[in-house]
Amino acid sequence: MLNETLFNIAFTTTLMQEFHISLRTFPWMVTGFMLVMGIVIPVSVLLLQWWFTTRQLLLGMILIFTVGTVISAAAYTFPILLVGRLIQAAGTGWVMPIFY
């Protein structure tokens, strides 16, 4: 859950200065993350019922989240950072039904 709200408060001004983006552009990061999670959470339930075991889904989504983290860490422009965060959101959203 920390990953969902991390950028909301902690890094707003730092990221805006680093990537030279406006205050109107930055919410795409937060909104996009929540939107992707809202889309993939119902899909993950179907994946658990039809195709994958809990262990397979957990390991796969940790891998997807890690890929998103690496992309975000290596981002040199805002669009690349945004793509990395959206990939992280997919990994987070697919794992959430396992824990709740």
Side-chain angles (χ1 to χ4, degrees):
M1 298 305 279
L2 176 65
N3 190 43
E4 294 173 32
T5 58
L6 184 68
F7 281 159
N8 295 359
I9 299 166
F11 298 119
T12 304
T13 55
T14 304
L15 289 174
M16 287 172 52
Q17 292 170 354
E18 185 70 29
F19 290 108
H20 308 291
I21 57 174
S22 69
L23 188 58
R24 294 179 59 142
T25 305
F26 187 78
W28 279 102
M29 183 93 58
V30 177
T31 306
F33 192 92
M34 296 303 233
L35 179 65
V36 169
M37 279 188 50
I39 292 170
V40 300
I41 287 173
V43 173
S44 67
V45 175
L46 294 174
L47 291 175
L48 278 170
Q49 287 180 347
W50 292 340
W51 289 297
F52 299 106
T53 65
T54 304
R55 181 182 175 154
Q56 290 171 332
L57 189 65
L58 181 63
L59 291 175
M61 295 316 129
I62 289 173
L63 178 65
I64 289 173
F65 182 83
T66 303
V67 168
T69 301
V70 169
I71 291 171
S72 296
Y76 55 91
T77 63
F78 181 74
I80 294 172
L81 179 64
L82 182 61
V83 167
R85 283 293 289 172
L86 296 180
I87 293 171
Q88 283 181 334
T92 303
W94 275 320
V95 167
M96 284 186 71
I98 295 172
F99 294 113
Y100 293 107

